[in-house]
C-alpha cells in the first residue's frame, strides 16, 4: 500500500506541476427551480472550442490560459446560459439552469449535448433521465426505469414482466446494480413484475455494457448506476400517484434554503386488501404485496463541503394461507461526503451498507420448517477527481468491501440446522485518465487491481477430487485469510472523429467477479443462492473487445450507431445435470466449471427532437458455454442466449394536453432443456434428457400502448391521467413450459404452457403540488 501511495503522490505532483501556467473555472450546475444538481451538463468555451461535462455530483472544472472567454452551459430540456468572464485567476462559476418549460412543443429523449456521443470515448453506454421515460407504457401503470433499460440494444429481459435482464450474454447476476453507490442484490418486487426503483425518487440512470470506467468492478457484464434525487432546496412539494394496484407518495423540501434539502418517497401495492374481501377462505388469508421507502437528506457545511445521507428499504410478502409464506427485501444506506480541495481537485468519500435477505416458511402436515438466506456488505469508498487541463482529467481511488453471506439452509423443528456464515474481503485500487490529445482523438485509459480474500471462521471449505466428490473439509480460525485472488483489470476506450458528425470507437475491458448467483431458472427468483469465491469456486473473469461506428444526421436530430463485441469468459460455472438445488448439502459438488463466449452486433437508430421521437434497436448475438461434464463437454447455448432481439419505441406529442406512446418487442425464445424421451420406474414416468439447452421456447412478441392526458398544469398544482395497455393484442407468450402425462392418454406426454398478462389495462392519476 505504501508503494501505491508513493506512485499516486508522484502522479499528483506531475499533474500539479504540468498545469501551473493556467487558471481554472469551476463550479456546480443545478436546476434553478429545485436545486437538484445536473449530471452530464455541458460547459463549453466558445473561443477554444473545448469543454467538459459535470460529474455525477454536478461539479465541473476547466483549466485555461488567462484571457477573456465566453462560457456556454447546456443541458437538454433546459434554457442555455451564456456567461462572459475575464479569467485572470481561479474563477468560481456556479450555474442554475431554468427548465425550458411549456414553450417546448416537442419531446426530447436525450439528456446529453449534441455531438457528445460522437466525441466521447465511452462505448456501450446508455443514459436515461426519469423525465424521458415517464410517458412510456409499462406494466400495471408503473413508470419503471428497468423496463425501459430492457428496450435498449444489447439488453434482454429475463422474462415476461420481469425486472431481471441480460447484457451482452451475461447472466442476471453479472449486472452490478447500484442505488446511490449501494449494491442492490435483488432489484425485483413481486417476483419481477415491479422493480425496486420508485421513479419519483430517481434522478437518472447510467448503464455501462461491459466497458465501464475503472471505478466500477465486481461484475462481468454491466453496471447500472442509479442516482436518487437530492430533494428540492427551494420550496416544499408533494407528488404521487393513485393506480389500480399500487400508489405512491413523495414529499420534498428545503432544510435550509440553498443549503440543504430532504426527500421521502414511499410506495405500496394493495392486492392483499382485495384478497381479504373475498368470501373464499382459500383466498382471504393469502398475502401478496410489497412496499418500499426511499429517503435522502443533504446539507452544505461550507462552500467546499457537502454531506449526503440516503437510504432504501423494501420488502415483499407472498403467502398462501398459513401453509406457505415467503418474504424478501433489500436495505441500503449511503453516507457521502463531497469535498472540493481546490478548483482542480474534487473528492467523494462514501460509507455504504447493503443487505438482502429472504425467508421461506412451510407449515404443512408433511413439512414444517423455514429457509433463510442473507447477504450483507460494508463498503468504504474514496475517489478523487483531478482536472489537470481542459483536455485531461484523472480519477483515482479505492474501495474496500466486507461481505457476509448466510447461504440458504432449510431447518425444521425436528431437525434444526444452523446456517454458517461465509466471510470475505474484497479490495480494489483504480486509476482512470480521460485524455483528448487533439480535436479528433479521445482516450479513456484505466487500470483496476482487485483482490479477494477468503476469510476463515464459520466458512467450511471443501476439498474435492477430480470427480467433484468431497475428500476433506478444511477448517480455519475467524479472521484468518485462507486464500487471496489478485486480478488486474485494464480498461481502454478510444474514439476517433472522422467528421463533425461521425466517429469510430474501439474498447477493451477486463472484469472480474467474485460473487456468483446460482440459479436454474430463466427468470429471477428471490430464492436464487448467492455464493462467494473460495478454494473451489474461482473468480470469473471476462475479456471484452468492441468496435463501433457512430453517426449523427440532420443537424443531430437523428442518431445512428452500430457496435460489435466479442467476450470470452473464464471460470464460468453452471449446475451439473440432476443437481440437488435446494438441498442442505455443500453446493460445490453440485457445480461444474469451464469457459464461455458471447459475441454480437447492436444497431440503434434514435430520433431526438420533434413531435415524434423514439428509437429502434436490434441485437444479433450468441452466448455459449463449454462446461466440464455437461453436454458431453461440447459448447451449448446459455439459458440467456437469444439470436434476435428487436425493440421499437415511439412517443408522439399530439397536443399540449395529449402525449401518445407505444413500444413493440420481439425476441427469440429462451434456450431450454426439454426431455428427449421417457421411461417408467415402478410405474412412475421419468423423463430422459440429452442436450443441455438444446431446444427453444416459442418466440416472444408484445405491443404496449399508452396515452398521457394533462388535466391541469399551473404553477402550484399539476395533474394528469396516464392510460396504458400492456400486451395490447393479447399475445399468449410462454412464461413456463412443463411436460406432463396426458390425462386422456397416459402413453402420451403433453407440453403445458403457462402464460401471463393478456390485455393488462391500467390507469394512474398523477399529481404534484
Amino acid at each position: 500500500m505504501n508503494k501505491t501511495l508513493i506512485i499516486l503522490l508522484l502522479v499528483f505532483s506531475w499533474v500539479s506541476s504540468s498545469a501551473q501556467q493556467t487558471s481554472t473555472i469551476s463550479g456546480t450546475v443545478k436546476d434553478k427551480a429545485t436545486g437538484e444538481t445536473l449530471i452530464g451538463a455541458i460547459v463549453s468555451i466558445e473561443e477554444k472550442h473545448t469543454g467538459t461535462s459535470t460529474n455525477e455530483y454536478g461539479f465541473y472544472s476547466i483549466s485555461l490560459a488567462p484571457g477573456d472567454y465566453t462560457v456556454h452551459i447546456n443541458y437538454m430540456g433546459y434554457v442555455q446560459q451564456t456567461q462572459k468572464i475575464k479569467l485572470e485567476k481561479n474563477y468560481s462559476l456556479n450555474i442554475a439552469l431554468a427548465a425550458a418549460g411549456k414553450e417546448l412543443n416537442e419531446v426530447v429523449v436525450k439528456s446529453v449535448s449534441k455531438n457528445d456521443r460522437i466525441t466521447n470515448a465511452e462505448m456501450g453506454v446508455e443514459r436515461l433521465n426519469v423525465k424521458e421515460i415517464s410517458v412510456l407504457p409499462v406494466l400495471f401503470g408503473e413508470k419503471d426505469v428497468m423496463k425501459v433499460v430492457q428496450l435498449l440494444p444489447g439488453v434482454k429481459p429475463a422474462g415476461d414482466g420481469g425486472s431481471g435482464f441480460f447484457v451482452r450474454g451475461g447472466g442476471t447476476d453479472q449486472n452490478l446494480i447500484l442505488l446511490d453507490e449501494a449494491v442492490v442484490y435483488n432489484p425485483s418486487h413481486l417476483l419481477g413484475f415491479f422493480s425496486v426503483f420508485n421513479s419519483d425518487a430517481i434522478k437518472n440512470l447510467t448503464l455501462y455494457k461491459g466497458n465501464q470506467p475503472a471505478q466500477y468492478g465486481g461484475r462481468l457484464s454491466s453496471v447500472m448506476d442509479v442516482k436518487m434525487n437530492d430533494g428540492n432546496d427551494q420550496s416544499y412539494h408533494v407528488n404521487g400517484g393513485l393506480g389500480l394496484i399500487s400508489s405512491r407518495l413523495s414529499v420534498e423540501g428545503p432544510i435550509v434554503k440553498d443549503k440543504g434539502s430532504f426527500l421521502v418517497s414511499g410506495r405500496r401495492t394493495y392486492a392483499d386488501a382485495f384478497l381479504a374481501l373475498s368470501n373464499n377462505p382459500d383466498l382471504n388469508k393469502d398475502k401478496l404485496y410489497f412496499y418500499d421507502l426511499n429517503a435522502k437528506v443533504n446539507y452544505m457545511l461550507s462552500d467546499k463541503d457537502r454531506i449526503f445521507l440516503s437510504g432504501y428499504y423494501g420488502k415483499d410478502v407472498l403467502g398462501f394461507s398459513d401453509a406457505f409464506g415467503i418474504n424478501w427485501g433489500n436495505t441500503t444506506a449511503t453516507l457521502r461526503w463531497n469535498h472540493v480541495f481546490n478548483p482542480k481537485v474534487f473528492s467523494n468519500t462514501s460509507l455504504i451498507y447493503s443487505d438482502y435477505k429472504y425467508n421461506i416458511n412451510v407449515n404443512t402436515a408433511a413439512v414444517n420448517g423455514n429457509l433463510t438466506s442473507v447477504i450483507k456488505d460494508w463498503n468504504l469508498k474514496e475517489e478523487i477527481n483531478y482536472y489537470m487541463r481542459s483536455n485531461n482529467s484523472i480519477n483515482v481511488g479505492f474501495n474496500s468491501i466486507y461481505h457476509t453471506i448466510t447461504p440458504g439452509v432449510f431447518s425444521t423443528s425436528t431437525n434444526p440446522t444452523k446456517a454458517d456464515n461465509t466471510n470475505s474481503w474484497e479490495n480494489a485500487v483504480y486509476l482512470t485518465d480521460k485524455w483528448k490529445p487533439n480535436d479528433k482523438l479521445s482516450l479513456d485509459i484505466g487500470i483496476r487491481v482487485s483482490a479477494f480474500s477468503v476469510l476463515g471462521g464459520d466458512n467450511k471449505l471443501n476439498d474435492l477430487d477430480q470427480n467433484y466428490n468431497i475428500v476433506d473439509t478444511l477448517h480455519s480460525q475467524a479472521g484468518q485469510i485462507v486464500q487471496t485472488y489478485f486480478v488486474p483489470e485494464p480498461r481502454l476506450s478510444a474514439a476517433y472523429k472522422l467528421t463533425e458528425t461521425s466517429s469510430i470507437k474501439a474498447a477493451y475491458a477486463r472484469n472480474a467477479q467474485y460473487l456468483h448467483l446460482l440459479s436454474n431458472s430463466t427468470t429471477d427468483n428471490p430464492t436464487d443462492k448467492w455464493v462467494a469465491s473460495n478454494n473451489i469456486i474461482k473468480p470469473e473473469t471476462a475479456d471484452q473487445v468492441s468496435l463501433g461506428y457512430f453517426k449523427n444526421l440532420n443537424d443531430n436530430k437523428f442518431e445512428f450507431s452500430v457496435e460489435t463485441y466479442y467476450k470470452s469468459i473464464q471460470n464460468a460455472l453452471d449446475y451439473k445435470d440432476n443437481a440437488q438445488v435446494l438441498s442442505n448439502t455443500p453446493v460445490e459438488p453440485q457445480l461444474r466449471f469451464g469457459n464461455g463466449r458471447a459475441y454480437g452486433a447492436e444497431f440503434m437508430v434514435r430520433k431526438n427532437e420533434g413531435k415524434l421521437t423514439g428509437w429502434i434497436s436490434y441485437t444479433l448475438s450468441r452466448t455459449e458455454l463449454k462446461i466440464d461434464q455437461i453436454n458431453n463437454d461440447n459448447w451449448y447455448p446459455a439459458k440467456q442466449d437469444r439470436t434476435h432481439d428487436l425493440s421499437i419505441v415511439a412517443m408522439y406529442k399530439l397536443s399540449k394536453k395529449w402525449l401518445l406512446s407505444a413500444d413493440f418487442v420481439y425476441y427469440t425464445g429462451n434456450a431450454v432443456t426439454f426431455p428427449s424421451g421417457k421411461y417408467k420406474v415402478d410405474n412412475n414416468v421419468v423423463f430422459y434428457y440429452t442436450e443441455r439447452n438444446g431446444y427453444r421456447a416459442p418466440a416472444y412478441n408484445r405491443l404496449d400502448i399508452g396515452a398521457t392526458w394533462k388535466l391541469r398544469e399551473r404553477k402550484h398544482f399539476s395533474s394528469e391521467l396516464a392510460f396504458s395497455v400492456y400486451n395490447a393484442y393479447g399475445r399468449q407468450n410462454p412464461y413456463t413450459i412443463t411436460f406432463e402425462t396426458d390425462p386422456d392418454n397416459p402413453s402420451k406426454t403433453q407440453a403445458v404452457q403457462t402464460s401471463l398478462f393478456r390485455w393488462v389495462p391500467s390507469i394512474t392519476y398523477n399529481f404534484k403540488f
Side-chain angles (χ1 to χ4, degrees):
M1 184 62 71
N2 289 336
K3 291 182 179 179
T4 303
L5 290 175
I6 292 172
I7 293 172
L8 294 180
L9 287 173
L10 290 173
V11 171
F12 300 160
S13 298
W14 171 70
V15 170
S16 178
S17 63
S18 62
Q20 291 176 352
Q21 303 305 315
T22 61
S23 296
T24 302
I25 309 168
S26 64
T28 302
V29 181
K30 296 183 177 183
D31 182 305
K32 184 177 182 179
T34 67
E36 290 282 351
T37 56
L38 299 179
I39 301 172
I42 302 302
V43 183
S44 58
I45 308 300
E46 180 178 308
E47 290 77 8
K48 293 291 186 179
H49 303 288
T50 188
T52 189
S53 59
T54 55
N55 67 8
E56 55 191 318
Y57 312 108
F59 179 82
Y60 75 93
S61 176
I62 304 177
S63 294
L64 301 163
D68 295 329
Y69 296 106
T70 306
V71 184
H72 300 289
I73 304 93
N74 291 278
Y75 192 74
M76 194 66 75
Y78 286 75
V79 178
Q80 175 183 290
Q81 263 202 45
T82 299
Q83 297 273 355
K84 298 276 189 179
I85 67 168
K86 186 176 185 65
L87 188 61
E88 297 176 334
K89 58 182 180 179
N90 291 340
Y91 193 97
S92 178
L93 182 61
N94 295 315
I95 299 296
L97 293 181
K102 300 178 183 179
E103 66 271 15
L104 278 184
N105 194 31
E106 59 188 35
V107 181
V108 178
V109 301
K110 288 280 281 183
S111 61
V112 298
S113 75
K114 295 181 177 181
N115 260 20
D116 183 63
R117 195 178 63 104
I118 300 298
T119 59
N120 199 314
E122 292 179 333
M123 275 196 72
V125 180
E126 304 287 350
R127 290 183 170 85
L128 292 174
N129 188 293
V130 171
K131 294 180 181 178
E132 300 163 7
I133 59 97
S134 61
V135 298
L136 292 179
V138 290
L139 185 60
F140 301 133
E142 281 284 326
K143 296 180 288 184
D144 195 328
V145 293
M146 292 193 68
K147 296 295 192 297
V148 179
V149 163
Q150 296 170 5
L151 300 171
L152 299 172
V155 184
K156 305 178 181 183
D160 197 5
S163 294
F165 57 95
F166 310 123
V167 177
R168 291 188 172 179
T172 56
D173 68 316
Q174 294 176 0
N175 305 312
L176 179 64
I177 299 175
L178 302 173
L179 178 61
D180 269 6
E181 302 183 85
V183 177
V184 177
Y185 281 97
N186 187 338
S188 302
H189 281 308
L190 291 186
L191 303 177
F193 303 136
F194 292 80
S195 85
V196 300
F197 300 115
N198 181 349
S199 60
D200 289 344
I202 301 304
K203 179 186 297 187
N204 74 338
L205 176 152
T206 303
L207 179 71
Y208 301 93
K209 295 182 287 188
N211 295 317
Q212 56 264 29
Q215 62 261 36
Y216 299 104
R219 299 295 186 273
L220 297 188
S221 292
S222 77
V223 174
M224 193 173 84
D225 193 356
V226 182
K227 299 298 184 186
M228 286 175 56
N229 284 320
D230 297 328
N232 193 314
D233 67 3
Q234 300 297 306
S235 57
Y236 296 97
H237 291 277
V238 177
N239 67 283
L242 301 173
L244 294 178
I245 66 169
S246 69
S247 292
R248 63 191 194 279
L249 184 69
S250 297
V251 181
E252 60 180 335
I255 299 173
V256 177
K257 192 173 181 179
D258 294 321
K259 292 181 69 73
S261 60
F262 73 92
L263 168 72
V264 179
S265 184
R267 181 174 53 157
R268 195 190 193 279
T269 58
Y270 29 77
D272 55 315
F274 295 106
L275 293 175
L277 298 175
S278 172
N279 294 323
N280 186 340
D282 294 330
L283 290 177
N284 58 26
K285 291 185 179 180
D286 291 350
K287 299 178 181 178
L288 178 63
Y289 67 90
F290 77 80
Y291 59 87
D292 53 28
L293 179 70
N294 294 80
K296 190 170 185 177
V297 295
N298 71 91
Y299 192 78
M300 290 186 64
L301 300 175
S302 69
D303 291 341
K304 295 185 176 181
D305 296 278
R306 188 174 188 180
I307 57 171
F308 303 79
L309 177 62
S310 61
Y312 168 84
Y313 178 75
K315 188 175 182 178
D316 285 72
V317 177
L318 173 63
F320 301 103
S321 188
D322 296 324
F324 174 82
I326 175 174
N327 61 78
W328 69 95
N330 298 275
T331 303
T332 72
T334 304
L335 176 62
R336 192 170 75 230
W337 171 39
N338 287 168
H339 178 67
V340 180
F341 284 98
N342 60 53
K344 291 178 178 289
V345 183
F346 179 93
S347 167
N348 179 66
T349 306
S350 301
L351 179 62
I352 307 160
Y353 173 78
S354 297
D355 183 301
Y356 169 67
K357 65 181 65 175
Y358 68 78
N359 184 70
I360 300 174
N361 292 295
V362 181
N363 184 17
T364 65
V367 180
N368 187 339
N370 67 82
L371 176 70
T372 301
S373 181
V374 181
I375 179 168
K376 185 182 298 183
D377 292 345
W378 285 98
N379 182 5
L380 176 64
K381 179 181 176 183
E382 169 63 32
E383 182 173 330
I384 297 175
N385 304 148
Y386 277 75
Y387 298 88
M388 183 171 64
R389 299 187 185 93
S390 59
N391 66 341
N392 201 346
S393 63
I394 292 176
N395 293 356
V396 62
F398 74 88
N399 70 296
S400 181
I401 310 173
Y402 188 88
H403 302 286
T404 300
I405 299 177
T406 305
V409 174
F410 191 73
S411 179
T412 66
S413 56
T414 57
N415 183 24
T417 304
K418 179 180 180 295
D420 295 328
N421 293 334
T422 62
N423 300 308
S424 51
W425 189 21
E426 183 177 350
N427 293 280
V429 293
Y430 56 86
L431 185 147
T432 299
D433 186 3
K434 291 180 174 290
W435 180 34
K436 190 173 182 180
N438 53 53
D439 290 340
K440 291 186 175 294
L441 181 63
S442 299
L443 299 171
D444 286 359
I445 306 167
I447 179 66
R448 179 184 180 91
V449 179
S450 57
F452 187 86
S453 298
V454 182
L455 302 180
D458 291 340
N459 187 11
K460 295 179 176 61
L461 304 176
N462 298 302
D463 191 14
L464 307 184
D465 61 18
Q466 61 182 1
N467 294 317
Y468 296 90
N469 297 313
I470 297 176
V471 296
D472 193 12
T473 299
L474 309 176
H475 298 275
S476 54
Q477 297 179 352
Q480 176 186 350
I481 296 179
V482 179
Q483 185 166 355
T484 299
Y485 296 98
F486 290 93
V487 180
E489 303 176 44
R491 318 274 172 89
L492 173 64
S493 298
Y496 185 80
K497 190 166 67 172
L498 301 173
T499 67
E500 289 300 316
T501 60
S502 65
S503 66
I504 56 172
K505 299 184 183 182
Y508 164 77
R510 169 175 287 182
N511 293 287
Q513 180 162 335
Y514 301 102
L515 303 182
H516 319 276
L517 184 66
L518 305 181
S519 173
N520 66 341
S521 171
T522 55
T523 59
D524 283 337
N525 290 314
T527 55
D528 292 341
K529 184 182 296 185
W530 283 96
V531 297
S533 296
N534 54 33
N535 60 319
I536 300 299
I537 303 173
K538 309 295 183 184
E540 294 179 272
T541 59
D543 294 276
Q544 177 176 283
V545 293
S546 50
L547 181 67
Y549 173 74
F550 298 79
K551 174 70 175 177
N552 287 359
L553 302 166
N554 194 15
D555 194 26
N556 298 318
K557 292 181 180 178
F558 292 86
E559 296 177 358
F560 169 79
S561 66
V562 55
E563 296 187 42
T564 61
Y565 66 90
Y566 182 90
K567 178 165 58 178
S568 63
I569 304 170
Q570 298 78 44
N571 300 323
L573 68 162
D574 203 349
Y575 275 120
K576 71 172 186 177
D577 294 332
N578 303 311
Q580 302 299 312
V581 177
L582 296 178
S583 70
N584 284 347
T585 58
V587 71
E588 290 84 357
Q590 309 296 321
L591 302 176
R592 297 296 182 265
F593 308 93
N595 298 314
R597 63 190 181 193
Y599 49 92
E602 302 166 1
F603 301 85
M604 180 81 154
V605 177
R606 185 192 293 263
K607 186 175 185 291
N608 294 327
E609 301 175 15
K611 287 191 173 184
L612 175 66
T613 59
W615 66 85
I616 301 173
S617 69
Y618 170 70
T619 304
L620 175 68
S621 62
R622 290 301 310 270
T623 306
E624 299 170 304
L625 296 171
K626 187 177 183 181
I627 305 293
D628 185 35
Q629 298 185 3
I630 297 178
N631 207 52
N632 297 318
D633 293 341
N634 295 317
W635 289 97
Y636 63 92
K639 64 182 181 181
Q640 63 267 26
D641 176 62
R642 293 177 186 154
T643 308
H644 304 285
D645 193 291
L646 172 69
S647 297
I648 302 174
V649 178
M651 291 159 282
Y652 183 73
K653 182 86 171 183
L654 183 63
S655 67
K656 291 182 178 181
K657 291 284 188 179
W658 284 95
L659 182 63
L660 309 179
S661 60
D663 60 69
F664 173 78
V665 176
Y666 171 89
Y667 56 77
T668 303
N670 293 328
V672 292
T673 302
F674 288 157
S676 300
K678 63 180 181 179
Y679 54 90
K680 282 189 175 182
V681 176
D682 296 331
N683 287 325
N684 293 318
V685 174
V686 179
F687 290 111
Y688 174 66
Y689 296 87
T690 54
E691 296 177 81
R692 174 71 68 93
N693 294 340
Y695 298 85
R696 290 281 173 182
Y700 181 100
N701 61 84
R702 187 190 78 243
L703 172 69
D704 309 324
I705 57 176
T708 301
W709 177 25
K710 292 188 179 298
L711 302 174
R712 181 174 296 182
E713 191 167 4
R714 296 179 180 175
K715 183 177 181 180
H716 298 294
F717 181 79
S718 62
S719 61
E720 65 182 23
L721 281 174
F723 308 90
S724 68
V725 180
Y726 184 90
N727 197 15
Y729 51 75
R731 163 85 174 179
Q732 290 186 292
N733 290 296
Y735 184 70
T736 61
I737 297 176
T738 58
F739 291 83
E740 302 173 359
T741 299
D742 189 337
D744 298 326
N745 187 348
S747 65
K748 294 184 179 181
T749 298
Q750 61 180 5
V752 179
Q753 174 179 305
T754 301
S755 301
L756 303 175
F757 308 130
R758 294 194 70 187
W759 303 298
V760 182
S762 64
I763 179 172
T764 303
Y765 174 72
N766 298 313
F767 61 89
K768 182 175 183 178
F769 58 87

